[in-house]
């Protein structure tokens, strides 16, 4: 199908609407992760609905020294990706269409959550992100807005803004898309040299190590609790502990403080090893957080959590995360 390419809100508002409108907001440089969002939007909007992909490099999201100038811009290629994924419209406004009065004096404030993790590293980033998302929601007037779970903190803040400010839109999170080697798809991956990419794989490996530690420790706990009391129980626990320790003694040694700490330890062990590679991985943060407010999960945490990591390899900064589920302990 051929997608309409529009540059003004007036053009977009003039289009007839026969079903639900789903919007996918991007900063361009579309890849398979974006295409997955668009295909999911098509499924949710249905054949009679309308899928709009926005392409706008938002200057408010870039701080001093960040890569605004070198951020890839390839509208022609973006339109082709959007079309192949069944988008109806590509909305690519100029800066003065989104900010007709120049830099906006009134902006959305991200609040306490916006100052944690990514917000602590990139002051003002989330204020700029929420401001442009609010603007684009007004300009595109969707029924559904889809965002990738790779930007977990961004998604959490958008959900909070939509709830707190009563935006009439349903926010849908779409799971992270990964390349075959596990690296999360990102427009910034193209900046990585071959050696840097090998180092960068530690991000996903660390997350998977944390996930595996959670599964192993949960299985160890369940099997130990199911073992009979007295000597037989102690023997079973020791045997299981020895097996797990042989796989990752570093993580097991931290398990006594609680599953969240064991998960963090397993992930950090992988990242520390990557920090000794050439080129090295320079860790920004590793955090296991409650997705409601992005505060650190306590040792007795139960429920859904997000294990998140950010690091630099060379001059390229990458982020990644996975969701984890912590069950109640008896």
């Amino acid at each position: 199908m051929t997608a309409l390419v529009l540059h003004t809100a007036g053009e977009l508002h003039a289009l007839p609407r026969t079903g639900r409108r789903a919007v996918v907001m991007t900063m361009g440089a579309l890849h398979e992760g974006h295409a997955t969002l668009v295909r999911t939007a098509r499924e949710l909007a249905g054949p009679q609905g309308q899928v709009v992909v926005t392409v706008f490099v938002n200057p408010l999201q870039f701080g001093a020294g960040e890569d605004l100038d070198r951020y890839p811009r390839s509208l022609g290629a973006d339109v082709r990706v959007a079309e192949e994924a069944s988008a109806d419209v590509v909305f690519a406004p100029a800066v003065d269409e989104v900010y007709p009065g120049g830099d906006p004096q009134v902006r959305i404030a991200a609040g306490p959550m916006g100052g944690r993790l990514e917000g602590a590293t990139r002051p003002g980033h989330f204020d700029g992100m929420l401001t442009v998302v609010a603007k684009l929601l007004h300009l595109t007037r969707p029924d559904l807005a889809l965002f990738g779970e790779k930007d977990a903190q961004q998604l959490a803040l958008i959900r909070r803004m939509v709830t707190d400010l009563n935006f009439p839109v349903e926010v849908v999170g779409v799971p992270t898309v990964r390349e075959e080697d596990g690296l999360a798809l990102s427009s910034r991956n193209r900046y990585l040299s071959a050696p840097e990419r090998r180092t960068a794989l530690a991000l996903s490996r660390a997350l998977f190590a944390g996930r595996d530690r959670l599964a192993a420790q949960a299985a160890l706990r369940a099997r130990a609790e199911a073992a009979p009391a007295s000597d037989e129980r102690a023997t079973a626990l020791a045997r299981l502990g020895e097996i797990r320790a042989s796989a990752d003694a570093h993580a097991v040694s931290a398990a006594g403080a609680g599953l969240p700490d064991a998960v963090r330890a397993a992930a950090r062990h992988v990242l520390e090893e990557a920090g000794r590679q050439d080129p090295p991985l320079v860790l920004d943060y590793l955090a296991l957080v409650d997705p409601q407010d992005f505060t650190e999960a306590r040792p007795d945490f139960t429920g859904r959590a997000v294990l998140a990591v950010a690091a630099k390899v060379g001059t390229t900064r990458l982020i990644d995360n996975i969701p984890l589920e912590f069950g109640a302990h008896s």
Side-chain angles (χ1 to χ4, degrees), residues 68 170 274:
L68 173 61
E170 178 184 349

Side-chain angles (χ1 to χ4, degrees), residues 6 24 28 46-47 49 67-68 72 116 129 142-143 175 186 211 220-221 238 290 312 322:
L6 306 178
V24 175
D67 54 359
L68 173 61
R116 299 177 184 130
M129 179 277 294
D143 302 289
S186 169
R211 177 196 62 193
L220 174 62
R221 183 187 297 273
D290 183 335
K312 268 191 173 184
I322 56 171

Side-chain angles (χ1 to χ4, degrees), residues 44-45 74 117 147 187-188 253 267 272 278 300 308-309 311 320:
L44 295 175
S74 53
L117 299 187
F147 300 90
S187 301
R188 292 187 168 93
S253 67
E272 288 173 351
D278 183 20
D300 58 351
V309 62
D320 200 354

Side-chain angles (χ1 to χ4, degrees), residues 194-303:
E196 288 172 345
R197 184 184 176 90
R198 287 194 293 271
T199 296
L201 292 176
L203 272 75
S204 56
R205 287 204 312 269
L207 297 178
F208 299 154
R211 177 196 62 193
D212 293 346
R213 175 51 48 203
L214 174 61
Q217 290 298 117
L220 174 62
R221 183 187 297 273
R223 292 170 66 182
E225 289 176 349
S230 70
D231 292 343
E232 186 177 353
R233 175 184 172 91
T235 301
L237 180 58
R239 184 181 305 117
L240 289 170
E242 289 169 4
I243 293 171
R244 298 305 178 191
S246 67
D248 190 350
H250 182 87
V252 170
S253 67
L259 283 177
D261 290 333
V263 167
R264 291 185 186 96
R268 188 170 296 279
H269 182 59
V270 175
L271 297 169
E272 288 173 351
E273 289 187 338
R276 294 188 288 270
Q277 292 181 6
D278 183 20
L281 180 143
V282 180
L283 183 63
D284 186 346
Y285 62 76
L286 171 70
L288 181 67
V289 298
D290 183 335
Q292 297 301 311
D293 57 10
F294 270 67
T295 57
E296 285 284 349
R298 297 170 59 87
D300 58 351
F301 182 87
T302 60

Side-chain angles (χ1 to χ4, degrees), residues 58-290:
N58 178 33
L60 300 190
Q61 288 176 234
F62 292 81
E66 293 189 337
D67 54 359
L68 173 61
D69 291 337
R70 73 166 182 153
Y71 196 87
R73 294 165 172 82
S74 53
L75 183 58
D78 292 341
V79 172
R80 289 192 292 274
V81 172
E83 287 177 339
E84 291 172 1
S86 299
D88 299 296
V89 178
V90 173
F91 178 52
V95 173
D96 59 3
E97 176 73 14
V98 179
Y99 303 120
D103 283 355
Q105 296 184 34
V106 177
R107 307 186 185 195
I108 302 292
M113 194 195 323
R116 299 177 184 130
L117 299 187
E118 285 297 292
T121 300
R122 308 174 65 189
H125 166 73
F126 285 126
D127 291 357
M129 179 277 294
L130 290 178
T131 298
V132 80
V133 169
K135 294 276 286 187
L136 289 172
L137 287 175
H138 288 311
L139 293 174
T140 60
R141 301 175 182 174
D143 302 289
L144 306 166
L146 289 82
F147 300 90
E149 292 180 355
K150 185 178 84 72
D151 296 294
Q153 193 172 4
Q154 169 179 286
L155 176 59
L157 282 162
I158 291 170
R159 291 189 191 280
R160 186 78 260 171
M161 177 184 73
V162 165
T163 297
D164 288 350
L165 301 185
N166 299 103
F167 278 78
V169 64
E170 178 184 349
V171 175
V172 179
V174 178
T176 300
V177 178
R178 299 184 180 278
E179 301 191 42
E180 289 186 4
D181 57 11
L183 190 67
L185 281 173
S186 169
S187 301
R188 292 187 168 93
N189 289 354
R190 67 186 66 189
Y191 301 150
L192 297 168
S193 67
E196 288 172 345
R197 184 184 176 90
R198 287 194 293 271
T199 296
L201 292 176
L203 272 75
S204 56
R205 287 204 312 269
L207 297 178
F208 299 154
R211 177 196 62 193
D212 293 346
R213 175 51 48 203
L214 174 61
Q217 290 298 117
L220 174 62
R221 183 187 297 273
R223 292 170 66 182
E225 289 176 349
S230 70
D231 292 343
E232 186 177 353
R233 175 184 172 91
T235 301
L237 180 58
R239 184 181 305 117
L240 289 170
E242 289 169 4
I243 293 171
R244 298 305 178 191
S246 67
D248 190 350
H250 182 87
V252 170
S253 67
L259 283 177
D261 290 333
V263 167
R264 291 185 186 96
R268 188 170 296 279
H269 182 59
V270 175
L271 297 169
E272 288 173 351
E273 289 187 338
R276 294 188 288 270
Q277 292 181 6
D278 183 20
L281 180 143
V282 180
L283 183 63
D284 186 346
Y285 62 76
L286 171 70
L288 181 67
V289 298
D290 183 335

